[in-house]
DNA sequence: CGTTGATTTGACCCTAATCAACTTAGGTGG
DNA sequence: CCACCTAAGTTGATTAGGGTCAAATCAACG
């Protein structure tokens, strides 16, 4: 046996009830619970760009990401809308009446636990602790979706972009990664689809912040915040700065 | 004893797992569960316009609406953003780390169960059935928040408005109310804040649909869809019709 | 019946969409 | 390892649509 075997599914979240260090994310599942879930799940791998499931497909399983990033999106007549970027320790594969409500594709190479819903339901009926963990995680998902809506309600492209970068940075910190630089998990068009902008507008917003020396980008996937105060102002207010 | 005493909190939702009649909403709680919850809750009343709690307040209780409509919103530097309209059978009062993440005010006169979180947590640890009901309801809330984000990502005011009316109609049907006419629970400015528009733009969007004979409004709170096909086209596509 | 706040309308401005041309990045095969 | 090829991203010119601010109308309430 290896020294650190994979213990089983892991759910990371901020506790909705307990007061603690701001945004302290922790592992919700105990070792026993992880082992329990491991017994009913299988490990699956997806190549970058691969479709995991599509909106409307019969939902047989939920997924828990071990590594990589998944894009959850909906296909519309006029292009895609990205609902969320799903990271390690997150869950995806929500269903409504037995069908997935959105599509999912691997934004990077992905390794995940695949948890059949039938088995999951059985376990949830038995183990109240597990239910509570799931409730906590769902609360977090709900808050994130509401944050997304808040972002989309902002009227200026630069504000939306700044809020998004702020979000990525927060997630990075919560994951314990270095946060000097913000890492973009996906390409421009996916970000634009998340922000409700066209790629062209996103590009311009990026240019605006860059030329104002508020941010700088090392390459297409790495952004650094140079002027925190100005950045915050763009993220918070709608009006353009002086 | 009256013939139909108030049985206790009620949660209505669409089951995420079981396939059934499209969008069939039903009562999740059994009589026993409702009685159990009733024991720890109190009934509270709010006058129209009254603030129920504010973002950042210490969260001591969740609420379950018996009658009336509540507006959940966030206060921003440049006006309010409405996250959701909460109806009978819904729950509100989500928290993060012991604090409410948004504000809530009564859009109409409201009667609700107030459920202390401490007692709720205790019950949830015991009763796995109840947890599952809550999970189902949270899934529904998540889907709704994602739908809201989808709506806000649409670029045309008329499209957002149509999607919103569609939503209200769907909810009305789910509640078993007559759906010949769509009832708006709140005033224009709240709707605008939900749609990410200014009241002026909302007014114009309304006018556009009205003058194209797609909808008509009896008064400020009642709208009727005249041309279903055209309406659907506005809601679905982004491009303007001929 | 008047007062107050909400809603509609108008004139103008400004931002992001559009469409298209151009450039860059990244992957492929020689 | 480099040249090529394709998809992705950027940039420019133009336009449509919503924001803004202000005035006028309407509704609700006392």
């Amino acid at each position: 046996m290896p020294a650190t075997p994979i213990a089983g599914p892991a759910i990371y979240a901020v506790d909705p009830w307990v007061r603690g260090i701001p945004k302290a994310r922790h592992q919700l599942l105990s070792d026993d619970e992880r082992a329990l879930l491991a017994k009913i799940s299988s490990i699956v791998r997806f190549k970058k760009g691969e479709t995991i499931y599509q909106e409307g497909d019969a939902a047989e399983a939920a997924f828990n990401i071990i590594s990589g990033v998944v894009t959850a999106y909906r296909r519309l007549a006029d292009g895609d809308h990205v609902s969320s970027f799903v990271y390690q320790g997150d869950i995806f594969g929500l269903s409504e009446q037995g069908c997935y409500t959105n599509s999912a594709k691997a934004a990077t190479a992905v390794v995940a636990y695949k948890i059949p819903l039938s088995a999951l339901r059985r376990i949830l009926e038995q183990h109240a602790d597990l239910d509570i963990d799931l409730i906590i995680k769902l609360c977090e998902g709900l808050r994130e979706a509401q944050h997304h809506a808040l972002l989309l309600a902002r009227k200026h492209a630069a504000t939306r972009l700044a809020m998004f970068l702020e979000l990525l940075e927060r997630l990075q910190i919560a994951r314990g990664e270095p946060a000097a630089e913000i890492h973009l998990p996906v390409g421009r068009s996916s970000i634009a689809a998340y922000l409700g902008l066209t790629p062209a507008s996103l590009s311009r917003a990026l240019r605006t912040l860059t030329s104002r020396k508020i941010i700088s980008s090392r390459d297409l996937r790495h952004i650094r915040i140079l002027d925190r105060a100005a950045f915050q102002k763009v993220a918070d207010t709608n009006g353009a700065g002086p």
Side-chain angles (χ1 to χ4, degrees), chain A:
Chain A
M1 270 293 189
T4 51
I6 294 175
I11 301 178
Y12 288 89
V14 176
D15 197 301
W17 295 310
V18 181
R19 261 171 209 282
I21 305 115
K23 313 281 147 140
R25 240 168 169 231
H26 54 93
Q27 166 61 259
L28 298 180
L29 303 179
S30 70
D31 289 349
D32 288 354
E33 289 168 342
R34 297 182 67 182
L36 194 67
L37 287 173
K39 253 187 285 191
I40 61 166
S41 15
S42 54
I43 291 182
V44 287
R45 280 156 214 281
F46 300 99
K47 290 192 289 282
K48 175 173 173 169
E50 197 175 340
T51 296
I52 299 172
Y53 56 74
Q54 293 209 284
E55 185 182 343
D57 286 358
E60 338 128 7
F63 298 85
N64 172 232
I65 299 187
I66 298 170
S67 72
V69 179
V70 166
T71 306
Y73 65 100
R74 293 198 52 167
R75 208 168 270 293
L76 300 178
D78 53 332
D80 292 357
H81 164 80
V82 170
S83 336
S84 65
F85 300 112
V86 194
Y87 286 87
Q88 179 189 139
D90 291 335
I91 292 168
F92 68 99
L94 277 194
S95 57
E96 177 182 32
Q97 296 194 135
C99 294
Y100 291 118
T101 54
N102 50 214
S103 307
K105 65 167 183 264
T108 64
V110 166
V111 186
Y113 287 101
K114 179 174 184 171
I115 311 174
L117 284 185
S118 51
L120 181 61
R121 285 182 67 182
R122 232 178 303 117
I123 288 195
L124 288 178
E125 278 163 19
Q126 244 57 56
H127 299 261
D129 304 358
L130 221 55
D131 294 88
I132 291 185
D133 296 334
L134 191 49
I135 287 169
I136 291 173
K137 189 62 182 173
L138 283 170
C139 284
E140 183 171 279
L142 188 50
R143 283 199 308 271
E144 272 187 24
Q146 288 180 348
H147 179 267
H148 188 196
L150 188 66
L151 181 159
L152 288 167
R154 303 324 222 83
K155 303 180 201 307
H156 295 283
T159 304
R160 293 194 198 176
L161 171 58
M163 285 184 72
F164 177 64
L165 293 175
E166 209 180 14
L167 169 68
L168 287 186
E169 188 184 40
R170 204 179 328 131
L171 291 177
Q172 230 166 280
I173 292 171
R175 267 179 274 121
E177 297 168 11
E181 220 172 34
I182 297 168
H183 176 250
L184 309 178
V186 297
R188 293 284 187 267
S189 43
S190 288
I191 295 176
Y194 182 87
L195 299 181
L197 301 171
T198 58
S201 294
L202 171 59
S203 181
R204 279 184 251 274
L206 236 12
R207 215 171 117 30
T208 304
L209 293 190
T210 304
S211 66
R212 284 218 267 157
K213 311 259 191 234
I214 294 175
I215 63 171
S216 70
S217 56
R218 177 154 63 80
D219 60 42
L220 280 180
R221 319 228 113 160
H222 294 274
I223 286 180
R224 189 182 286 274
I225 298 175
L226 300 177
D227 183 343
R228 177 69 56 171
F231 179 84
Q232 210 58 47
K233 201 159 153 191
V234 173
D236 292 345
T237 70
N238 235 359

